């Protein structure tokens, strides 16, 4: 009988500019500091290809296919905690991610006040007017979608928190 805990996965979700990727990376660092074998995956990269299929503008199908393979590789390599940064807009998307990772999936939504998100996006997309406009428009829209959908298990308000504090709050909220 192994003393190893069952493998678990965490999806950190939120609107664009909320800090999902930064929080996921910091969670991975905290887990590593605690000696917990882990991997961090930004779901955006798993679906990044062009062109996207008609009717799938965010390339969810490719993301899920790639996540299934990546998760299996990490589990086979001894990872105990898989930390994902990405968006699940619906319960169906959450279920697809859960099926792809093959283990329990906790979902934590990072909530940041929209004016703070907009300031972050303005810094991130400085000099990229078209990208900035799209992200500014999408941030409010996606925040409303996520608020209404409530696919998360827990919410962490990260408006006034530094990234390491967000990571610690996420770990506490999901009881890892």
């Amino acid at each position: 009988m192994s003393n190893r805990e069952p493998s678990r996965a965490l999806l950190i979700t939120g609107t664009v500019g909320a800090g999902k990727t930064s929080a996921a990376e910091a969670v991975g660092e905290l887990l590593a500091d605690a000696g917990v074998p882990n991997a961090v995956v930004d779901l955006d990269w798993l679906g990044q290809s062009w062109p996207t299929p008609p009717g799938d503008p965010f390339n969810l199908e490719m993301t899920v296919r790639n996540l299934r393979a990546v998760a299996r590789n990490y589990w086979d390599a001894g990872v105990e905690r898989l930390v994902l940064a990405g968006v699940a807009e619906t319960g169906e998307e959450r279920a697809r991610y859960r099926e792809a990772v093959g283990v329990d999936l906790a979902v934590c939504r990072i909530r940041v006040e929209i004016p703070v998100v907009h300031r972050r996006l303005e810094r991130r997309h400085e000099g990229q007017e078209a990208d900035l406009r799209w992200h500014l428009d999408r941030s409010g829209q996606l925040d409303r979608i996520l608020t209404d959908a409530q696919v998360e298990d827990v919410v962490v308000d990260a408006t006034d928190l530094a990234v390491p504090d967000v990571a610690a709050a996420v770990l506490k909220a999901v009881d890892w």
Side-chain angles (χ1 to χ4, degrees):
M1 186 92 173
S2 170
N3 289 335
R4 185 176 167 205
E5 283 192 43
S7 298
R8 291 191 277 174
L10 166 64
L11 171 62
I12 298 174
T13 192
T15 193
V16 295
K20 299 178 295 292
T21 301
S22 296
E25 290 171 344
V27 164
E29 291 170 9
L30 290 174
L31 290 170
D33 290 347
V36 178
N38 75 89
V40 178
V41 176
D42 187 328
L43 295 178
D44 285 346
W45 284 98
L46 296 183
Q48 192 161 2
S49 63
W50 185 89
T52 58
D56 189 7
F58 299 109
N59 219 357
L60 178 65
E61 293 304 318
M62 182 60 69
T63 301
V64 169
R65 284 179 60 190
N66 286 334
L67 177 58
R68 187 175 295 113
V70 167
R72 184 173 35 253
N73 289 336
Y74 280 130
W75 302 137
D76 289 349
V79 162
E80 294 177 10
R81 299 290 181 270
L82 181 59
V83 182
L84 309 172
V87 175
E89 293 185 25
T90 66
E92 178 186 343
E93 287 180 13
R94 177 189 173 142
R96 303 229 18 235
Y97 290 139
R98 191 312 187 182
E99 181 276 326
V101 297
V103 299
D104 286 340
L105 176 69
V107 178
C108 178
R109 180 164 62 104
I110 303 242
R111 172 80 175 91
V112 177
E113 293 176 9
I114 292 300
V116 173
V117 168
H118 284 187
R119 287 194 296 274
R120 291 177 182 180
L121 292 170
E122 288 164 359
R123 285 191 304 272
R124 183 194 301 175
H125 297 285
E126 186 176 354
Q128 304 167 332
E129 198 55 41
D131 284 346
L132 174 60
R133 178 61 32 219
W134 186 89
H135 283 88
L136 290 173
D137 291 344
R138 179 69 172 150
S139 64
Q141 175 191 49
L142 184 55
D143 186 62
R144 286 187 298 278
I145 289 168
L146 295 174
T147 298
D148 291 346
Q150 297 182 6
V151 301
E152 70 277 351
D153 301 304
V154 294
V155 177
V156 169
D157 187 333
T159 301
D160 297 317
L161 297 177
V163 173
D165 297 327
V166 173
V170 167
L171 285 173
K172 182 177 181 183
V174 298
D175 196 27
W176 276 20

